[in-house]
Amino acid sequence: MDDLFAPQDDLRLEIAMAAARLIAEDGYDYPAARNKAIKELAGNTRLPRDRIPLDAEIEQEVRNYQSLYLSDSQPKELLQLRRSALSLMQALQEFEPIVYGACVNGTGSHHSDLHVLAFSDNPKEIDYWLLNHNIAFEPCEDALLSGRAFPAVSFQWKDRWVQLGCSDPRDRRGLLKRNESLFQTDAAGLQRLLEDPAQ
């Protein structure tokens, strides 16, 4: 089987493609895009789980859509997103942050938020850092990474919305090594991505 996440039927593929368009063009997040696509294509019919595309399937369709329709603009937007992420991570270096999501996997665009996880024994230390840098922030929905939820705050950095989660420093090594595919990385890894436009 060429693709572990290959859609199993036409409807599943159509949902993945419709969700990808919403993500690429309108900045929807994955759950909202999937739900809207299901509503558009299946109405109020309750679909069995095996007819609903996984995030990995939708992500592949986002890549396909971007390569077909956004090949002139998306790579430049991804570069800007990664530069913003790196500047934030360098500013937060005492907390050894990792970045994950669209910024890392290559699907980022001008719609994308930054998703960063910082590490501290005391989460209040990160709040104090933000306050000391005159950055207005507020609690937001938990950051989700590798199947785990982490308390998070949101704020703006260089005209980007950031979701900054916090975790125990002992979690860092495991989280960085959790996935074989490139989904999260540290500042050094992000710098390598910036130096290699093909990624």
mmCIF file of all heavy atoms in Angstrom, residues 73-115:
data_model
loop_
_atom_site.group_PDB
_atom_site.id
_atom_site.type_symbol
_atom_site.label_atom_id
_atom_site.label_comp_id
_atom_site.label_asym_id
_atom_site.label_seq_id
_atom_site.Cartn_x
_atom_site.Cartn_y
_atom_site.Cartn_z
ATOM 1 N N SER A 73 2.762 31.723 -4.160
ATOM 2 C CA SER A 73 2.684 32.508 -2.922
ATOM 3 C C SER A 73 3.033 31.716 -1.661
ATOM 4 O O SER A 73 3.683 32.240 -0.752
ATOM 5 C CB SER A 73 1.279 33.096 -2.768
ATOM 6 O OG SER A 73 0.300 32.057 -2.758
ATOM 7 N N GLN A 74 2.622 30.456 -1.578
ATOM 8 C CA GLN A 74 2.761 29.712 -0.322
ATOM 9 C C GLN A 74 4.195 29.530 0.144
ATOM 10 O O GLN A 74 4.483 29.695 1.347
ATOM 11 C CB GLN A 74 2.036 28.370 -0.421
ATOM 12 C CG GLN A 74 1.922 27.626 0.908
ATOM 13 C CD GLN A 74 3.055 26.642 1.138
ATOM 14 O OE1 GLN A 74 3.708 26.203 0.182
ATOM 15 N NE2 GLN A 74 3.282 26.278 2.403
ATOM 16 N N PRO A 75 5.152 29.222 -0.731
ATOM 17 C CA PRO A 75 6.526 29.069 -0.231
ATOM 18 C C PRO A 75 7.068 30.344 0.423
ATOM 19 O O PRO A 75 7.779 30.276 1.430
ATOM 20 C CB PRO A 75 7.321 28.699 -1.494
ATOM 21 C CG PRO A 75 6.307 28.052 -2.384
ATOM 22 C CD PRO A 75 5.042 28.817 -2.144
ATOM 23 N N LYS A 76 6.724 31.501 -0.122
ATOM 24 C CA LYS A 76 7.167 32.771 0.476
ATOM 25 C C LYS A 76 6.487 32.994 1.821
ATOM 26 O O LYS A 76 7.113 33.471 2.772
ATOM 27 C CB LYS A 76 6.841 33.936 -0.464
ATOM 28 C CG LYS A 76 7.564 33.860 -1.793
ATOM 29 C CD LYS A 76 7.030 34.921 -2.741
ATOM 30 C CE LYS A 76 7.534 34.667 -4.158
ATOM 31 N NZ LYS A 76 6.831 35.432 -5.162
ATOM 32 N N GLU A 77 5.211 32.654 1.898
ATOM 33 C CA GLU A 77 4.476 32.810 3.152
ATOM 34 C C GLU A 77 5.025 31.863 4.218
ATOM 35 O O GLU A 77 5.131 32.226 5.396
ATOM 36 C CB GLU A 77 2.987 32.554 2.919
ATOM 37 C CG GLU A 77 2.338 33.609 2.031
ATOM 38 C CD GLU A 77 0.956 33.205 1.545
ATOM 39 O OE1 GLU A 77 0.460 32.131 1.944
ATOM 40 O OE2 GLU A 77 0.367 33.969 0.762
ATOM 41 N N LEU A 78 5.379 30.645 3.816
ATOM 42 C CA LEU A 78 5.975 29.684 4.749
ATOM 43 C C LEU A 78 7.308 30.210 5.271
ATOM 44 O O LEU A 78 7.595 30.105 6.465
ATOM 45 C CB LEU A 78 6.167 28.332 4.052
ATOM 46 C CG LEU A 78 6.885 27.249 4.858
ATOM 47 C CD1 LEU A 78 6.107 26.895 6.123
ATOM 48 C CD2 LEU A 78 7.105 25.999 3.997
ATOM 49 N N LEU A 79 8.100 30.800 4.392
ATOM 50 C CA LEU A 79 9.388 31.364 4.794
ATOM 51 C C LEU A 79 9.197 32.460 5.840
ATOM 52 O O LEU A 79 9.901 32.503 6.858
ATOM 53 C CB LEU A 79 10.112 31.915 3.569
ATOM 54 C CG LEU A 79 11.508 32.499 3.796
ATOM 55 C CD1 LEU A 79 12.471 31.437 4.311
ATOM 56 C CD2 LEU A 79 12.026 33.134 2.514
ATOM 57 N N GLN A 80 8.221 33.333 5.623
ATOM 58 C CA GLN A 80 7.943 34.409 6.584
ATOM 59 C C GLN A 80 7.475 33.834 7.921
ATOM 60 O O GLN A 80 7.876 34.308 8.986
ATOM 61 C CB GLN A 80 6.893 35.363 6.014
ATOM 62 C CG GLN A 80 7.393 36.170 4.828
ATOM 63 C CD GLN A 80 6.287 36.976 4.163
ATOM 64 O OE1 GLN A 80 5.098 36.768 4.409
ATOM 65 N NE2 GLN A 80 6.683 37.892 3.295
ATOM 66 N N LEU A 81 6.629 32.815 7.846
ATOM 67 C CA LEU A 81 6.138 32.166 9.068
ATOM 68 C C LEU A 81 7.302 31.580 9.855
ATOM 69 O O LEU A 81 7.404 31.749 11.075
ATOM 70 C CB LEU A 81 5.134 31.075 8.699
ATOM 71 C CG LEU A 81 4.505 30.288 9.853
ATOM 72 C CD1 LEU A 81 3.570 31.174 10.668
ATOM 73 C CD2 LEU A 81 3.765 29.062 9.321
ATOM 74 N N ARG A 82 8.197 30.891 9.171
ATOM 75 C CA ARG A 82 9.338 30.267 9.844
ATOM 76 C C ARG A 82 10.279 31.314 10.423
ATOM 77 O O ARG A 82 10.840 31.108 11.506
ATOM 78 C CB ARG A 82 10.070 29.348 8.864
ATOM 79 C CG ARG A 82 9.304 28.049 8.603
ATOM 80 C CD ARG A 82 9.956 27.177 7.566
ATOM 81 N NE ARG A 82 9.340 25.844 7.547
ATOM 82 C CZ ARG A 82 9.595 24.921 6.624
ATOM 83 N NH1 ARG A 82 10.463 25.166 5.647
ATOM 84 N NH2 ARG A 82 9.000 23.745 6.680
ATOM 85 N N ARG A 83 10.458 32.426 9.741
ATOM 86 C CA ARG A 83 11.316 33.488 10.271
ATOM 87 C C ARG A 83 10.709 34.079 11.545
ATOM 88 O O ARG A 83 11.425 34.356 12.510
ATOM 89 C CB ARG A 83 11.507 34.580 9.221
ATOM 90 C CG ARG A 83 12.477 34.179 8.123
ATOM 91 C CD ARG A 83 12.563 35.245 7.049
ATOM 92 N NE ARG A 83 13.580 34.920 6.067
ATOM 93 C CZ ARG A 83 13.634 35.450 4.846
ATOM 94 N NH1 ARG A 83 12.715 36.333 4.466
ATOM 95 N NH2 ARG A 83 14.586 35.115 4.004
ATOM 96 N N SER A 84 9.384 34.268 11.543
ATOM 97 C CA SER A 84 8.723 34.775 12.752
ATOM 98 C C SER A 84 8.869 33.794 13.902
ATOM 99 O O SER A 84 9.122 34.181 15.043
ATOM 100 C CB SER A 84 7.228 35.039 12.475
ATOM 101 O OG SER A 84 7.064 36.072 11.548
ATOM 102 N N ALA A 85 8.700 32.506 13.586
ATOM 103 C CA ALA A 85 8.826 31.471 14.615
ATOM 104 C C ALA A 85 10.234 31.456 15.192
ATOM 105 O O ALA A 85 10.419 31.365 16.411
ATOM 106 C CB ALA A 85 8.484 30.104 14.029
ATOM 107 N N LEU A 86 11.235 31.556 14.326
ATOM 108 C CA LEU A 86 12.612 31.511 14.812
ATOM 109 C C LEU A 86 12.922 32.709 15.702
ATOM 110 O O LEU A 86 13.577 32.564 16.741
ATOM 111 C CB LEU A 86 13.592 31.455 13.641
ATOM 112 C CG LEU A 86 15.061 31.278 14.033
ATOM 113 C CD1 LEU A 86 15.274 29.975 14.799
ATOM 114 C CD2 LEU A 86 15.959 31.326 12.799
ATOM 115 N N SER A 87 12.437 33.882 15.336
ATOM 116 C CA SER A 87 12.696 35.059 16.169
ATOM 117 C C SER A 87 12.056 34.897 17.543
ATOM 118 O O SER A 87 12.646 35.268 18.566
ATOM 119 C CB SER A 87 12.201 36.332 15.483
ATOM 120 O OG SER A 87 10.791 36.399 15.455
ATOM 121 N N LEU A 88 10.862 34.314 17.602
ATOM 122 C CA LEU A 88 10.206 34.078 18.889
ATOM 123 C C LEU A 88 10.978 33.044 19.697
ATOM 124 O O LEU A 88 11.205 33.215 20.896
ATOM 125 C CB LEU A 88 8.765 33.616 18.670
ATOM 126 C CG LEU A 88 7.995 33.220 19.930
ATOM 127 C CD1 LEU A 88 7.900 34.384 20.918
ATOM 128 C CD2 LEU A 88 6.604 32.698 19.572
ATOM 129 N N MET A 89 11.398 31.980 19.047
ATOM 130 C CA MET A 89 12.113 30.930 19.764
ATOM 131 C C MET A 89 13.453 31.432 20.295
ATOM 132 O O MET A 89 13.882 31.045 21.382
ATOM 133 C CB MET A 89 12.296 29.722 18.854
ATOM 134 C CG MET A 89 10.962 29.060 18.511
ATOM 135 S SD MET A 89 11.147 27.727 17.344
ATOM 136 C CE MET A 89 11.763 26.431 18.413
ATOM 137 N N GLN A 90 14.109 32.290 19.536
ATOM 138 C CA GLN A 90 15.361 32.875 20.017
ATOM 139 C C GLN A 90 15.113 33.777 21.218
ATOM 140 O O GLN A 90 15.892 33.782 22.176
ATOM 141 C CB GLN A 90 16.039 33.635 18.878
ATOM 142 C CG GLN A 90 16.611 32.705 17.817
ATOM 143 C CD GLN A 90 17.074 33.423 16.566
ATOM 144 O OE1 GLN A 90 16.626 34.531 16.260
ATOM 145 N NE2 GLN A 90 17.970 32.798 15.812
ATOM 146 N N ALA A 91 14.000 34.517 21.178
ATOM 147 C CA ALA A 91 13.660 35.366 22.319
ATOM 148 C C ALA A 91 13.349 34.524 23.560
ATOM 149 O O ALA A 91 13.661 34.910 24.680
ATOM 150 C CB ALA A 91 12.473 36.263 21.963
ATOM 151 N N LEU A 92 12.731 33.360 23.343
ATOM 152 C CA LEU A 92 12.333 32.471 24.440
ATOM 153 C C LEU A 92 13.387 31.407 24.763
ATOM 154 O O LEU A 92 13.083 30.423 25.435
ATOM 155 C CB LEU A 92 11.034 31.744 24.062
ATOM 156 C CG LEU A 92 9.728 32.538 24.079
ATOM 157 C CD1 LEU A 92 8.645 31.759 23.366
ATOM 158 C CD2 LEU A 92 9.310 32.862 25.502
ATOM 159 N N GLN A 93 14.615 31.598 24.310
ATOM 160 C CA GLN A 93 15.609 30.529 24.361
ATOM 161 C C GLN A 93 15.843 29.959 25.762
ATOM 162 O O GLN A 93 16.164 28.777 25.912
ATOM 163 C CB GLN A 93 16.927 30.998 23.760
ATOM 164 C CG GLN A 93 17.601 32.131 24.491
ATOM 165 C CD GLN A 93 18.891 32.566 23.793
ATOM 166 O OE1 GLN A 93 19.415 31.842 22.963
ATOM 167 N NE2 GLN A 93 19.381 33.739 24.139
ATOM 168 N N GLU A 94 15.652 30.771 26.800
ATOM 169 C CA GLU A 94 15.865 30.237 28.158
ATOM 170 C C GLU A 94 14.879 29.129 28.494
ATOM 171 O O GLU A 94 15.118 28.325 29.406
ATOM 172 C CB GLU A 94 15.769 31.365 29.189
ATOM 173 C CG GLU A 94 14.376 31.980 29.322
ATOM 174 C CD GLU A 94 14.379 33.262 30.139
ATOM 175 O OE1 GLU A 94 14.231 33.167 31.365
ATOM 176 O OE2 GLU A 94 14.529 34.348 29.531
ATOM 177 N N PHE A 95 13.757 29.062 27.746
ATOM 178 C CA PHE A 95 12.740 28.036 27.986
ATOM 179 C C PHE A 95 12.857 26.875 26.992
ATOM 180 O O PHE A 95 11.967 26.019 26.952
ATOM 181 C CB PHE A 95 11.344 28.653 27.915
ATOM 182 C CG PHE A 95 11.121 29.751 28.917
ATOM 183 C CD1 PHE A 95 11.033 31.076 28.510
ATOM 184 C CD2 PHE A 95 11.032 29.471 30.272
ATOM 185 C CE1 PHE A 95 10.839 32.102 29.424
ATOM 186 C CE2 PHE A 95 10.837 30.481 31.199
ATOM 187 C CZ PHE A 95 10.746 31.802 30.775
ATOM 188 N N GLU A 96 13.921 26.854 26.203
ATOM 189 C CA GLU A 96 14.197 25.772 25.250
ATOM 190 C C GLU A 96 12.960 25.358 24.443
ATOM 191 O O GLU A 96 12.569 24.186 24.431
ATOM 192 C CB GLU A 96 14.767 24.556 25.972
ATOM 193 C CG GLU A 96 16.072 24.829 26.691
ATOM 194 C CD GLU A 96 16.669 23.577 27.270
ATOM 195 O OE1 GLU A 96 16.082 23.033 28.243
ATOM 196 O OE2 GLU A 96 17.695 23.127 26.751
ATOM 197 N N PRO A 97 12.330 26.293 23.738
ATOM 198 C CA PRO A 97 11.056 25.994 23.069
ATOM 199 C C PRO A 97 11.208 25.049 21.877
ATOM 200 O O PRO A 97 12.278 24.925 21.284
ATOM 201 C CB PRO A 97 10.597 27.375 22.598
ATOM 202 C CG PRO A 97 11.869 28.133 22.389
ATOM 203 C CD PRO A 97 12.780 27.664 23.495
ATOM 204 N N ILE A 98 10.110 24.393 21.571
ATOM 205 C CA ILE A 98 9.996 23.659 20.311
ATOM 206 C C ILE A 98 8.786 24.214 19.568
ATOM 207 O O ILE A 98 7.841 24.716 20.176
ATOM 208 C CB ILE A 98 9.893 22.129 20.512
ATOM 209 C CG1 ILE A 98 8.674 21.743 21.350
ATOM 210 C CG2 ILE A 98 11.144 21.577 21.146
ATOM 211 C CD1 ILE A 98 8.502 20.226 21.488
ATOM 212 N N VAL A 99 8.839 24.146 18.260
ATOM 213 C CA VAL A 99 7.759 24.633 17.413
ATOM 214 C C VAL A 99 7.193 23.434 16.668
ATOM 215 O O VAL A 99 7.918 22.480 16.358
ATOM 216 C CB VAL A 99 8.267 25.733 16.437
ATOM 217 C CG1 VAL A 99 9.337 25.202 15.507
ATOM 218 C CG2 VAL A 99 7.115 26.352 15.637
ATOM 219 N N TYR A 100 5.909 23.466 16.373
ATOM 220 C CA TYR A 100 5.286 22.321 15.725
ATOM 221 C C TYR A 100 4.149 22.795 14.826
ATOM 222 O O TYR A 100 3.777 23.962 14.815
ATOM 223 C CB TYR A 100 4.783 21.311 16.767
ATOM 224 C CG TYR A 100 3.775 21.854 17.754
ATOM 225 C CD1 TYR A 100 2.410 21.652 17.564
ATOM 226 C CD2 TYR A 100 4.179 22.558 18.879
ATOM 227 C CE1 TYR A 100 1.481 22.149 18.478
ATOM 228 C CE2 TYR A 100 3.263 23.047 19.792
ATOM 229 C CZ TYR A 100 1.910 22.841 19.586
ATOM 230 O OH TYR A 100 1.001 23.341 20.481
ATOM 231 N N GLY A 101 3.616 21.875 14.044
ATOM 232 C CA GLY A 101 2.488 22.195 13.185
ATOM 233 C C GLY A 101 2.893 22.666 11.798
ATOM 234 O O GLY A 101 3.950 22.298 11.277
ATOM 235 N N ALA A 102 2.043 23.525 11.216
ATOM 236 C CA ALA A 102 2.198 23.935 9.815
ATOM 237 C C ALA A 102 3.517 24.625 9.540
ATOM 238 O O ALA A 102 4.061 24.530 8.440
ATOM 239 C CB ALA A 102 1.035 24.841 9.417
ATOM 240 N N CYS A 103 4.058 25.313 10.535
ATOM 241 C CA CYS A 103 5.349 25.986 10.379
ATOM 242 C C CYS A 103 6.452 24.977 10.085
ATOM 243 O O CYS A 103 7.378 25.252 9.314
ATOM 244 C CB CYS A 103 5.664 26.756 11.656
ATOM 245 S SG CYS A 103 7.274 27.551 11.672
ATOM 246 N N VAL A 104 6.348 23.804 10.661
ATOM 247 C CA VAL A 104 7.389 22.792 10.537
ATOM 248 C C VAL A 104 7.102 21.833 9.381
ATOM 249 O O VAL A 104 7.991 21.488 8.599
ATOM 250 C CB VAL A 104 7.540 21.993 11.849
ATOM 251 C CG1 VAL A 104 8.625 20.940 11.733
ATOM 252 C CG2 VAL A 104 7.840 22.940 13.008
ATOM 253 N N ASN A 105 5.846 21.417 9.227
ATOM 254 C CA ASN A 105 5.561 20.381 8.223
ATOM 255 C C ASN A 105 5.492 20.905 6.792
ATOM 256 O O ASN A 105 5.330 20.137 5.849
ATOM 257 C CB ASN A 105 4.292 19.586 8.587
ATOM 258 C CG ASN A 105 3.007 20.401 8.438
ATOM 259 O OD1 ASN A 105 2.914 21.358 7.677
ATOM 260 N ND2 ASN A 105 1.989 20.013 9.191
ATOM 261 N N GLY A 106 5.601 22.229 6.641
ATOM 262 C CA GLY A 106 5.696 22.793 5.298
ATOM 263 C C GLY A 106 4.404 23.284 4.697
ATOM 264 O O GLY A 106 4.393 23.797 3.583
ATOM 265 N N THR A 107 3.282 23.159 5.415
ATOM 266 C CA THR A 107 2.004 23.614 4.866
ATOM 267 C C THR A 107 1.629 25.017 5.344
ATOM 268 O O THR A 107 0.553 25.514 5.017
ATOM 269 C CB THR A 107 0.858 22.643 5.247
ATOM 270 O OG1 THR A 107 0.725 22.608 6.676
ATOM 271 C CG2 THR A 107 1.131 21.237 4.717
ATOM 272 N N GLY A 108 2.495 25.667 6.111
ATOM 273 C CA GLY A 108 2.184 26.989 6.654
ATOM 274 C C GLY A 108 1.972 28.039 5.581
ATOM 275 O O GLY A 108 2.551 27.974 4.490
ATOM 276 N N SER A 109 1.129 29.022 5.911
ATOM 277 C CA SER A 109 0.828 30.120 4.988
ATOM 278 C C SER A 109 0.553 31.375 5.810
ATOM 279 O O SER A 109 0.734 31.390 7.027
ATOM 280 C CB SER A 109 -0.396 29.782 4.136
ATOM 281 O OG SER A 109 -1.578 29.817 4.934
ATOM 282 N N HIS A 110 0.068 32.424 5.134
ATOM 283 C CA HIS A 110 -0.229 33.664 5.849
ATOM 284 C C HIS A 110 -1.405 33.480 6.816
ATOM 285 O O HIS A 110 -1.605 34.298 7.699
ATOM 286 C CB HIS A 110 -0.510 34.818 4.874
ATOM 287 C CG HIS A 110 -1.777 34.672 4.099
ATOM 288 N ND1 HIS A 110 -1.882 33.844 3.002
ATOM 289 C CD2 HIS A 110 -2.988 35.248 4.257
ATOM 290 C CE1 HIS A 110 -3.108 33.923 2.525
ATOM 291 N NE2 HIS A 110 -3.808 34.755 3.256
ATOM 292 N N HIS A 111 -2.167 32.398 6.642
ATOM 293 C CA HIS A 111 -3.277 32.116 7.566
ATOM 294 C C HIS A 111 -2.799 31.466 8.871
ATOM 295 O O HIS A 111 -3.529 31.450 9.856
ATOM 296 C CB HIS A 111 -4.283 31.153 6.926
ATOM 297 C CG HIS A 111 -5.050 31.714 5.789
ATOM 298 N ND1 HIS A 111 -5.869 32.814 5.904
ATOM 299 C CD2 HIS A 111 -5.132 31.325 4.488
ATOM 300 C CE1 HIS A 111 -6.428 33.072 4.736
ATOM 301 N NE2 HIS A 111 -6.000 32.195 3.862
ATOM 302 N N SER A 112 -1.613 30.890 8.867
ATOM 303 C CA SER A 112 -1.192 30.002 9.952
ATOM 304 C C SER A 112 -0.786 30.752 11.214
ATOM 305 O O SER A 112 -0.087 31.762 11.154
ATOM 306 C CB SER A 112 -0.012 29.140 9.496
ATOM 307 O OG SER A 112 -0.349 28.395 8.354
ATOM 308 N N ASP A 113 -1.205 30.213 12.343
ATOM 309 C CA ASP A 113 -0.722 30.671 13.639
ATOM 310 C C ASP A 113 0.572 29.921 13.962
ATOM 311 O O ASP A 113 0.878 28.889 13.362
ATOM 312 C CB ASP A 113 -1.743 30.384 14.743
ATOM 313 C CG ASP A 113 -3.047 31.149 14.541
ATOM 314 O OD1 ASP A 113 -3.041 32.172 13.838
ATOM 315 O OD2 ASP A 113 -4.068 30.695 15.086
ATOM 316 N N LEU A 114 1.307 30.458 14.935
ATOM 317 C CA LEU A 114 2.494 29.772 15.434
ATOM 318 C C LEU A 114 2.109 28.926 16.644
ATOM 319 O O LEU A 114 1.390 29.396 17.532
ATOM 320 C CB LEU A 114 3.566 30.783 15.840
ATOM 321 C CG LEU A 114 4.228 31.546 14.700
ATOM 322 C CD1 LEU A 114 5.178 32.602 15.257
ATOM 323 C CD2 LEU A 114 4.973 30.597 13.782
ATOM 324 N N HIS A 115 2.596 27.718 16.672
ATOM 325 C CA HIS A 115 2.350 26.809 17.795
ATOM 326 C C HIS A 115 3.692 26.443 18.405
ATOM 327 O O HIS A 115 4.514 25.773 17.773
ATOM 328 C CB HIS A 115 1.598 25.566 17.325
ATOM 329 C CG HIS A 115 0.231 25.873 16.800
ATOM 330 N ND1 HIS A 115 -0.879 25.910 17.612
ATOM 331 C CD2 HIS A 115 -0.193 26.207 15.559
ATOM 332 C CE1 HIS A 115 -1.937 26.232 16.891
ATOM 333 N NE2 HIS A 115 -1.544 26.425 15.640
#
